[in-house]
Amino acid sequence: MRYLVLSDLHSNREALDAVLDDSRGEYDLIVCCGDLAGYGPDPNAVIDWARANLHAVVRGNHDRGCAGTENLEWFNPVARQASIWTMSQLSPVNLEYLRSLPAGPLKVEDFQLIHGSPMDEDEYLLSVADARNVFAYLETDVTFFGHTHLQGGYAWLGGRYETIGRMEFFQNERWQRLDPDGAWLINPGSVGQPRDGDERAAFALYDSGAREVLYRRVAYDHDATRRKIERAGLPDVLGLRLAAGR
Ligand code: ZN
């Protein structure tokens, strides 16, 4: 089966549309590692699309924040303000959908989806030192995660732990075969708010039969998203950071 793997969409409709245009015809099912909502200006458009199109999805911390099921004291002021704004905008059916999203890990075919780490959906796996502690808790040898907004991930291969870094800025895609003797923690990157210094929307394509991953980047009109963020009265920094990819 061929999957389009998404994470951290963050109510960014322009980025989502660019990803869907770029990947059209290359997958059978769409899965998501969480954070449909928060930060961005189009929560209803993104969640309407998610309800109709996602085969499997786990919740992210911002989905909980925007669903009103999280104590927002844990959020920084910008994230808190965006969550409160999002909650005020959501249609009843989309609010209910966010509330109903499951916590990971969620098994799909021969892999699983998590938002942060297998033990804690809010934990950031930012380095190979973070990741090496969690490999023992993975129930499948391929796991997709999000939360850090950094495309790449970690591998356990031949008794060693390795970091899978992001591609170069001049590349649009990078291919990787997932050795069945290893274990793989793969982050497709963030569709709607990349933070690895590359402002292009990030995603991955996974072919479970061939055990191949394609990491992909696609440019989108982040200036249009920034203008919507300003018009909505959301904090300016949320628009400005899209152009920087940080
Ligand atoms: Zn996120």
Side-chain angles (χ1 to χ4, degrees):
M1 196 69 80
R2 299 172 310 159
Y3 295 91
L4 174 62
V5 188
L6 307 179
S7 192
D8 298 281
L9 284 69
H10 286 294
S11 306
N12 187 333
R13 183 181 198 165
E14 288 72 31
L16 175 61
D17 286 346
V19 165
L20 295 174
D21 279 348
D22 192 68
S23 59
R24 182 154 299 137
E26 295 185 80
Y27 58 85
D28 307 301
L29 296 170
I30 312 175
V31 297
C32 178
C33 300
D35 276 1
L36 298 167
Y39 294 138
D42 278 314
N44 282 310
V46 170
I47 299 171
D48 286 344
W49 173 85
R51 288 193 290 115
N53 291 286
L54 289 182
H55 171 66
V57 51
V58 294
R59 69 187 185 188
N61 52 316
H62 287 265
D63 299 322
R64 300 199 318 271
C66 297
T69 54
E70 176 78 1
N71 183 348
L72 293 175
E73 309 244 315
W74 297 105
F75 278 37
N76 68 53
V78 167
R80 191 183 313 144
Q81 195 181 332
S83 294
I84 292 166
W85 179 86
T86 302
M87 223 182 307
S88 75
Q89 300 292 311
L90 285 176
S91 67
V93 62
N94 285 342
L95 185 62
E96 192 47 47
Y97 178 76
L98 278 193
R99 286 186 177 149
S100 72
L101 292 179
L106 178 66
K107 192 143 183 281
V108 183
E109 202 190 335
D110 61 347
F111 63 92
Q112 61 184 352
L113 304 173
I114 59 178
H115 186 62
S117 91
M119 302 91 89
D120 179 355
E121 58 191 327
D122 294 341
E123 182 182 359
Y124 289 93
L125 301 180
L126 287 164
S127 70
V128 75
D130 298 334
R132 63 185 302 154
N133 295 322
V134 311
F135 270 99
Y137 297 91
L138 300 176
E139 288 164 22
T140 52
D141 58 10
V142 178
T143 299
F144 292 98
F145 73 105
H147 196 38
T148 63
H149 299 211
L150 306 175
Q151 191 177 45
Y154 309 99
W156 178 79
L157 195 59
R160 290 179 37 190
Y161 296 96
E162 293 175 14
T163 299
I164 306 162
R166 65 156 165 73
M167 70 185 77
E168 301 295 336
F169 295 116
F170 58 82
Q171 294 177 303
N172 297 322
E173 69 175 24
R174 198 170 63 189
W175 174 88
Q176 184 166 46
R177 183 170 172 275
L178 306 185
D179 189 319
D181 293 331
W184 301 86
L185 262 168
I186 293 182
N187 191 328
S190 170
V191 172
Q193 196 193 81
R195 291 180 196 161
D196 50 9
D198 186 338
E199 79 282 8
R200 298 174 297 173
F203 63 101
L205 292 154
Y206 173 55
D207 184 328
S208 60
R211 289 184 65 97
E212 291 173 350
V213 171
L214 264 183
Y215 302 91
R216 188 77 72 76
R217 301 304 280 241
V218 62
Y220 74 97
D221 188 356
H222 49 71
D223 213 45
T225 315
R226 180 187 58 77
R227 289 195 299 271
K228 286 186 185 174
I229 286 171
E230 286 173 9
R231 276 204 301 276
L234 287 161
D236 287 352
V237 63
L238 291 174
L240 296 172
R241 71 187 302 178
L242 297 179
R246 294 204 183 277

